[in-house]
């Protein structure tokens, strides 16, 4: 849990000589008991900015993911809990030089592929940028370490001082969407975009890409299973052919037609719903298992359907996508 920083720098006269000597030194914030030579820790998602004396990060973790360090491309003298001093960010090329290390521990009973959203924050606690990392094939009981970079940041961005885990999703490794640039053995890649939302209306597009060497044909609607946090089926939601019962804003319902995708071509299908909440219990669906057609291998995507109490999800048929 993040707490306000509440930190004030000392007068510039005491700081500048120190910064001149250390401006090229990287600051490493470490945690979870991990020791790094000459480096120390402050809080990832807390109010501490680390010194180089080894103060550990107090990160409670989220769904099996922990921040273990935050590296900043500038030096800081040893702060106290009441104040800290840091040099201006030193940016090289288009990369900010800011990155975080993390650990993912699979506490479940099957091998999972994780998608983790990290938030890099400034001293006031505001988000500077979000980045997503994917950790594949983590077996039960295993811990895998990785790093995520903040990447290029606008010159006007506040200096990053914190990082925290915003969201974690994990799907069975055999059903995870293929990583960008990779093609599954089936030759077909299924994915979901980030979606659009307006006035309570939600639209997410599924994309079916033929990355193989042979033509692939579909007709009709993708086959869906709605799953909860435990990958169990979600009851009480009607999956509709078309979106006309949800809204007319997405255009008239199209009739299903045969679609043949040559290698390199794609098709899309839309998921449409409203997140209206009335009487009853609101339903959220974190996972959707998708089959392009009967008999196709399943792929589990994470559109996070906030269906409210509507109990309905509209599905538009596959249609060939325009070349990108």
């Amino acid at each position: 849990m993040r707490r306000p920083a509440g930190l004030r720098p000392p007068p510039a006269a005491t700081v500048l000589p120190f910064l001149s000597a250390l401006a090229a030194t990287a600051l490493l914030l470490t945690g979870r008991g991990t020791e790094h030579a000459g480096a120390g820790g402050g809080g990832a998602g807390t109010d501490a900015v680390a010194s180089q004396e080894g103060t550990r990060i107090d990160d409670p973790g989220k769904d099996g993911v922990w921040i273990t360090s935050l590296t900043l491309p500038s030096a800081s003298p040893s702060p106290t809990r009441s104040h800290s001093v840091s040099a201006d960010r030193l940016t090289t090329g288009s990369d900010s030089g800011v990155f975080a290390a993390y650990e993912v521990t699979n506490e479940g009973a099957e091998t999972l592929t994780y998608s983790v959203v990290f938030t890099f924050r400034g001293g006031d606690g505001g988000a500077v940028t979000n980045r997503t990392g994917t950790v594949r094939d983590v077996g039960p009981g295993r811990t895998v370490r990785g790093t995520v970079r903040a990447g290029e940041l606008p010159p006007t961005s506040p200096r990053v001082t914190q990082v925290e885990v915003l969201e974690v999703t994990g799907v069975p490794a055999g059903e995870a969407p293929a990583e960008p640039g990779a093609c599954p053995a089936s030759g077909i890649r299924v994915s979901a975009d980030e979606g659009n939302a307006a006035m309570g209306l939600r639209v997410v597009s599924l994309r079916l890409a033929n990355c193989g060497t042979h033509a692939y044909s579909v007709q009709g609607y993708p086959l869906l299973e709605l799953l909860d946090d435990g990958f169990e089926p979600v009851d009480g939601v009607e999956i509709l052919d078309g979106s006309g019962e949800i809204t007319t804003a997405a255009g008239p319902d199209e009739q299903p037609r045969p679609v043949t995708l040559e290698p390199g071509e794609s098709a899309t299908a839309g998921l449409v719903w409203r997140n209206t909440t009335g009487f009853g219990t609101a339903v959220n669906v974190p996972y959707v298992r998708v089959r392009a057609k009967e008999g196709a291998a399943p792929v589990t995507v994470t559109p996070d359907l906030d269906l409210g109490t509507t109990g309905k999800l509209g599905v538009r048929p596959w249609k060939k996508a325009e070349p990108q």
Side-chain angles (χ1 to χ4, degrees):
M1 179 180 296
R2 176 176 55 79
R3 300 188 295 273
L7 306 178
R8 292 189 307 164
T14 25
V15 177
L16 293 178
F18 190 89
L19 298 183
S20 298
L22 295 180
T25 303
L27 169 65
L28 181 64
L29 316 182
T30 62
R32 296 205 71 205
T34 305
E35 297 297 329
H36 296 266
T46 72
D47 62 349
V49 176
S51 70
Q52 294 183 346
E53 271 71 29
T55 306
R56 293 178 179 175
I57 288 177
D58 181 20
D59 179 19
K62 182 180 179 67
D63 297 333
V65 182
W66 289 265
I67 302 294
T68 58
S69 68
L70 171 64
T71 299
L72 307 177
S74 57
S76 294
S78 302
T80 67
R81 298 292 290 185
S82 61
H83 73 274
S84 68
V85 181
S86 60
D88 290 338
R89 183 173 62 247
L90 303 178
T91 302
T92 302
S94 61
D95 192 286
S96 64
V98 176
F99 65 93
Y102 59 88
E103 292 181 353
V104 178
T105 298
N106 183 354
E107 300 171 347
E110 63 178 316
T111 300
L112 299 177
T113 288
Y114 291 85
S115 180
V116 186
V117 180
F118 300 89
T119 297
F120 291 87
R121 299 186 182 277
D124 63 355
V128 176
T129 188
N130 289 346
R131 299 297 179 194
T132 301
T134 300
V135 185
R136 294 186 175 274
D137 303 331
V138 183
R142 286 190 59 212
T143 295
V144 175
R145 296 171 177 84
T147 58
V148 59
R149 304 191 71 88
E152 183 177 2
L153 300 175
T156 55
S157 295
R159 184 174 183 275
V160 172
T161 62
Q162 309 169 45
V163 63
E164 65 182 41
V165 178
L166 181 64
E167 181 181 344
V168 180
T169 55
V171 302
E175 297 182 10
E179 56 187 320
C183 188
S186 64
I188 296 299
R189 188 166 53 236
V190 176
S191 60
D193 67 14
E194 295 183 356
N196 295 304
M199 300 296 290
L201 180 65
R202 308 286 199 260
V203 180
V204 165
S205 290
L206 301 177
R207 178 169 287 269
L208 174 66
N210 184 353
C211 56
T213 57
H214 304 285
Y216 187 85
S217 296
V218 290
Q219 180 174 355
Y221 303 88
L223 305 178
L224 308 180
E225 294 178 75
L226 308 185
L227 306 175
D228 64 16
D229 284 320
F231 300 109
E232 296 296 327
V234 174
D235 296 325
V237 177
E238 184 180 6
I239 299 177
L240 306 171
D241 289 345
S243 59
E245 290 189 40
I246 308 294
T247 181
T248 58
D253 283 335
E254 300 179 18
Q255 293 301 310
R257 295 183 176 86
V259 176
T260 298
L261 302 176
E262 299 296 333
E265 293 185 326
S266 298
T268 60
L271 308 183
V272 184
W273 74 97
R274 290 191 179 278
N275 72 332
T276 306
T277 300
F279 295 104
T281 301
V283 174
N284 291 308
V285 179
Y287 302 104
V288 178
R289 180 176 287 139
V290 181
R291 287 178 172 83
K293 62 181 180 181
E294 194 70 44
V299 175
T300 298
V301 297
T302 55
D304 195 13
L305 310 180
D306 55 341
L307 300 175
T309 56
T310 62
K312 294 180 180 180
L313 174 67
V315 184
R316 298 171 71 87
W318 291 118
K319 69 174 184 178
K320 186 172 289 189
E322 296 294 329
Q324 292 184 327

